[in-house]
Amino acid sequence: MLKELDPKEPKDFDFIIGDWQVKHRRLKDILNGSDEWIEFEGKSSTVKTLGGLGNVEDNLLHMPFESVRAKAIRSYNDKSKEWSIWWLDGRNPMAMDTPVVGRFIDGIGHFYADETYNGLAVKVRFIWDSTTPEKPTWQQAFSKDNGETWEVNWQMEFSRIE
């Protein structure tokens, strides 16, 4: 029998549960000094899993030259009080990205990982902002200098689908 939700379980990502219209802005040329952005629409739908200790977000991204399916998979570690977030891109269904790990403080979540991008070692940062729960935002940034400076390369603005 499946466990019922415990009211003490983390509520950090409760704001994203449900169906959303998403505005995407993605830097055209990452880590090369570019300031040209590509804008496109998408949708996402998120459900709780792991008895409330995780969630799965199903994404449809209407990029300029193709539509892409992807998943974000999130799980909470009750011992460390941190979330891990994995990304699975439907164009490469055999590989999940290195998880970013972090936590929320006052409605802002910071998550970090060490990763490789186009053969270059980078730090990855996700920032989730749920301080306006009806219009949450997310952004991704990369750092080539171990976190001294960051280049934001992807931004998302969510609007709930009624």
Side-chain angles (χ1 to χ4, degrees), residues 55-79:
N55 60 66
V56 177
E57 179 182 320
D58 191 17
N59 292 278
L60 176 58
L61 297 85
H62 296 295
M63 299 174 119
F65 299 105
E66 65 182 331
S67 290
V68 175
R69 298 301 300 237
K71 282 214 178 287
I73 301 163
R74 304 181 187 99
S75 66
Y76 184 74
N77 182 328
D78 193 45
K79 290 180 182 154

Side-chain angles (χ1 to χ4, degrees), residues 20-59:
W20 300 86
Q21 187 71 37
V22 185
K23 287 185 176 183
H24 294 265
R25 289 184 74 226
R26 189 163 184 216
L27 200 56
K28 185 174 182 179
D29 192 19
I30 296 172
L31 295 177
N32 285 313
S34 173
D35 62 359
E36 186 178 349
W37 291 85
I38 299 165
E39 296 187 11
F40 54 95
E41 296 291 319
K43 291 185 178 181
S44 76
S45 181
T46 304
V47 295
K48 287 188 177 190
T49 189
L50 299 172
L53 294 174
N55 60 66
V56 177
E57 179 182 320
D58 191 17
N59 292 278

Side-chain angles (χ1 to χ4, degrees), residues 92-142:
N92 187 11
M94 304 273 297
M96 290 176 65
D97 287 352
T98 302
V100 292
V101 178
R103 66 183 61 186
F104 280 83
I105 297 174
D106 298 327
I108 309 283
H110 289 86
F111 307 88
Y112 299 91
D114 293 317
E115 184 65 274
T116 303
Y117 179 77
N118 288 342
L120 180 67
V122 297
K123 285 205 171 290
V124 177
R125 179 187 71 196
F126 288 6
I127 297 178
W128 271 104
D129 185 340
S130 68
T131 56
T132 307
E134 65 279 1
K135 287 275 194 187
T137 62
W138 171 89
Q139 69 169 242
Q140 173 181 273
F142 291 169

